[in-house]
Amino acid sequence: MKRLFYLVDQMDSVEAISEDLHQEGITDWRFHILSRDEAGLFTRKLHSASLFDRTDLARYTERGAIVGGLFALAFIATAQWTQAFTMPAAAWIALFLFMVAAGAFLAGFGGIGAENYRVRRFHDAIENGQHLVMVDVREKDEERMKELMAQRHPEARLQRETSAFNNPFVEEDGKLHLF
């Protein structure tokens, strides 16, 4: 899946885009609108971006789970190697799962307060009244969607295209960042 990012100046254009996407069989779950005018999106019954599209909650939670799992493996391996603790296997598994969950939970606090790494570059445009339309398309439908948007909505400017899936260790520059 690819995610296409379009910036649009007028709410009327966003509404027309939404109608055209629905006619093309794109459901609300496959396109999201990020706007400073949440009330306008609500009154026009447009699908606003979710918490996961706005914040880095999912990505930070994934990072936390991975780090928690690594810490758990290091702790359990060290404890087993030194025989510092004697516990049944079920207890070790429970400890591992607890550390993974704790890592995800704690990292989620950082993610809920951080702007999503893919929409961060559009922050100023959104604050200045523009609307970000994010459309998820299958790779085989990508060109058809770009043509549709260019023909019917030339006012919508394609800004970026990325994967629709989160990568917990890639930043907006597209490079790997461990922390």
Side-chain angles (χ1 to χ4, degrees):
M1 284 281 237
K2 295 277 278 230
R3 179 166 281 187
L4 307 176
F5 294 84
Y6 291 92
L7 274 177
V8 182
D9 292 326
Q10 302 296 320
M11 187 67 79
D12 291 337
S13 296
V14 173
E15 191 170 24
I17 290 169
S18 176
E19 290 169 7
D20 284 346
L21 291 175
H22 283 126
Q23 287 176 358
E24 289 294 317
I26 305 292
T27 64
D28 281 342
W29 294 109
R30 296 214 4 238
F31 77 94
H32 319 278
I33 304 160
L34 187 56
S35 174
R36 188 177 64 163
D37 184 10
E38 286 294 316
L41 294 176
F42 180 77
T43 57
R44 293 172 187 246
K45 296 181 174 82
L46 298 173
H47 191 203
S48 178
S50 72
L51 177 72
F52 296 110
D53 295 315
R54 295 172 185 282
T55 68
D56 254 350
L57 176 64
R59 196 165 70 105
Y60 275 55
T61 302
E62 291 168 353
R63 281 184 181 181
I66 292 168
V67 170
L70 292 174
F71 274 117
L73 287 175
F75 176 77
I76 292 169
T78 302
Q80 286 287 53
W81 183 61
T82 62
Q83 296 183 348
F85 301 103
T86 306
M87 295 191 303
W92 289 115
I93 292 169
L95 179 63
F96 175 81
L97 293 175
F98 173 77
M99 290 179 79
V100 168
F105 179 75
L106 293 173
F109 285 114
I112 197 86
E115 190 170 29
N116 187 293
Y117 74 107
R118 285 186 250 159
V119 300
R120 195 176 302 144
R121 69 174 46 192
F122 305 111
H123 178 86
D124 291 339
I126 293 167
E127 286 300 311
N128 289 328
Q130 292 183 312
H131 314 283
L132 182 65
V133 178
M134 300 173 279
V135 184
D136 296 337
V137 295
R138 292 183 193 97
E139 290 194 35
K140 67 178 185 166
D141 298 328
E142 179 182 352
E143 289 306 315
R144 186 176 63 85
M145 182 58 60
K146 286 179 182 177
E147 289 173 15
L148 171 98
M149 291 294 287
Q151 289 173 357
R152 294 188 191 168
H153 303 286
E155 73 280 6
R157 299 170 309 281
L158 179 63
Q159 300 293 310
R160 183 173 193 205
E161 48 188 270
T162 66
S163 171
F165 302 104
N166 280 332
N167 185 333
F169 298 109
V170 172
E171 288 295 329
E172 93 179 81
D173 61 4
K175 296 180 183 171
L176 181 68
H177 296 268
L178 291 180
F179 292 98

